[in-house]
Amino acid sequence: VSSARAHVGPESRYDTVSANQFNVLTFLGLRERHYLVDIGCGSLRAGRLLIPYLLPGHYYGIEPEKWVVEAGIKSEIGDDMVRLRTPTFSNDDNFTVSEFGRKFDFLLAHGIFIHTSKKQLRRCLDEAEGAMHDDSVFAATFLEGVEDYAGDAWAKDRMITYTYATVAGEAEEHGLRCQKLAWWHPSGQTWTVMTTKNSRLELPRPDDFQAVRLMMQERDEYKRRLENLRKGWLARMLEKI
Ligand SMILES: C[S@@+](CC[C@H](N)C(=O)[O-])C[C@H]1O[C@@H](n2cnc3c(N)ncnc32)[C@H](O)[C@@H]1O
């Protein structure tokens, strides 16, 4: 159990990093009706919150290490949750999001660009872009540094850096607009949000509390619906009397 947790980072921060991903996604507008792909989903650090939250069949995960996903299922969510929420997994090791044959509303690559070579980063962006519709949101982290990782393979068991200019420039090359999100991360990674050039989304920003306003709008809508329901119920009762 713990080795599957340790596979994705320090075990002491496992829960905080779960929460960090879930919070940022719901802050960005993730709702249960959305379809999400978790690129490099590991032992379901995010999946343990996302799979129960999303509607059945809406969570997809890619992870080359099959045993890590299996251990994650066993220790984090259990077989009943898999039966109930029917997540889809692939063990592809080349970021082949297209194999799922669908577009995604949300794409997540947490803790991935802290290991990828430039070639892998490009491949991932290429595949992500192909699976996005105009209003999709691609949330990804990287470790911001003053130098770009120059290796040509996945950096195993260590974190590598890219400059923000490189990440934003690569996104741009793939037709995506990259924005840095002022969102805390437990181990100092930087959150970015990539959207298509045609995106009509206005991303919430932590400093203008737009997300809070959206939630309040949702609350008001539910209040209105509840009021209508009550009125309907009251009207029926009065009719009976
Ligand atoms: C730092 S962990 C992050 C895992 C997960 N996103 C999370 O936040 O818990 C990196 C993960 O990427 C996986 N990985 C390695 N090579 C990969 C590849 N080519 N494509 C996708 N994931 C890969 C690793 O096995 C590992 O589970």
Side-chain angles (χ1 to χ4, degrees):
V1 169
S2 68
S3 64
R5 281 195 163 198
H7 178 79
V8 296
E11 286 181 79
S12 60
R13 286 201 290 265
Y14 195 87
D15 67 326
T16 325
V17 178
S18 294
N20 185 260
Q21 295 182 70
F22 186 76
N23 285 343
V24 83
L25 289 165
T26 49
F27 174 77
L28 290 170
L30 178 73
R31 296 294 179 266
E32 64 172 11
R33 65 177 182 279
H34 290 131
Y35 282 85
L36 175 140
V37 62
D38 189 352
I39 302 169
C41 63
S43 53
L44 309 182
R45 189 160 50 172
R48 69 205 279 258
L49 299 178
L50 290 169
I51 293 168
Y53 174 73
L54 294 169
L55 291 175
H58 287 224
Y59 175 94
Y60 289 69
I62 301 184
E63 170 56 56
E65 302 283 350
K66 194 164 182 244
W67 73 270
V68 179
V69 177
E70 285 170 357
I73 288 175
K74 191 159 179 263
S75 59
E76 306 298 338
I77 58 172
D79 289 337
D80 283 349
M81 185 60 73
V82 171
R83 273 192 287 278
L84 201 61
R85 290 313 211 201
T86 56
T88 303
F89 294 105
S90 138
N91 299 123
D92 177 75
D93 66 355
N94 198 23
F95 308 97
T96 315
V97 181
S98 53
E99 81 173 278
F100 295 128
R102 63 160 307 119
K103 302 273 182 193
F104 290 94
D105 306 301
F106 279 79
L107 299 90
L108 171 68
H110 174 268
I112 301 304
F113 301 149
I114 61 169
H115 297 290
T116 47
S117 66
K118 189 79 80 59
K119 194 172 162 207
Q120 287 174 315
L121 169 68
R122 288 184 181 137
R123 165 75 182 162
C124 185
L125 289 171
D126 203 31
E127 279 288 312
E129 194 274 329
M132 289 169 79
H133 55 69
D134 280 355
D135 293 330
S136 299
V137 173
F138 181 13
T141 60
F142 75 107
L143 189 64
E144 196 170 353
V146 290
E147 277 180 3
D148 288 340
Y149 173 53
D152 56 10
W154 178 272
K156 202 169 157 43
D157 301 327
R158 67 193 175 99
M159 284 163 75
I160 51 84
T161 63
Y162 284 105
T163 65
Y164 177 64
T166 297
V167 173
E170 289 296 337
E172 181 85 15
E173 291 275 309
H174 288 83
L176 299 173
R177 201 160 73 91
C178 182
Q179 297 173 69
K180 218 193 264 197
L181 197 67
W183 192 270
W184 176 75
H185 186 280
S187 52
Q189 294 177 43
T190 295
W191 276 105
T192 61
V193 181
M194 299 184 206
T195 48
T196 67
K197 295 272 164 65
N198 296 330
S199 181
R200 292 162 300 173
L201 286 181
E202 270 196 46
L203 288 179
R205 291 193 351 224
D207 58 351
D208 69 9
F209 295 101
Q210 181 164 348
V212 177
R213 276 205 297 278
L214 287 176
M215 283 175 205
M216 284 163 77
Q217 275 170 16
E218 282 179 354
R219 181 203 60 189
D220 291 345
E221 172 62 17
Y222 287 123
K223 268 190 183 166
R224 199 183 57 73
R225 285 194 215 166
L226 192 64
E227 200 51 39
N228 285 343
L229 274 175
R230 279 208 190 109
K231 273 187 210 150
W233 174 80
L234 194 64
R236 278 199 301 279
M237 282 288 286
L238 285 173
E239 258 171 36
K240 273 190 193 160
I241 295 166

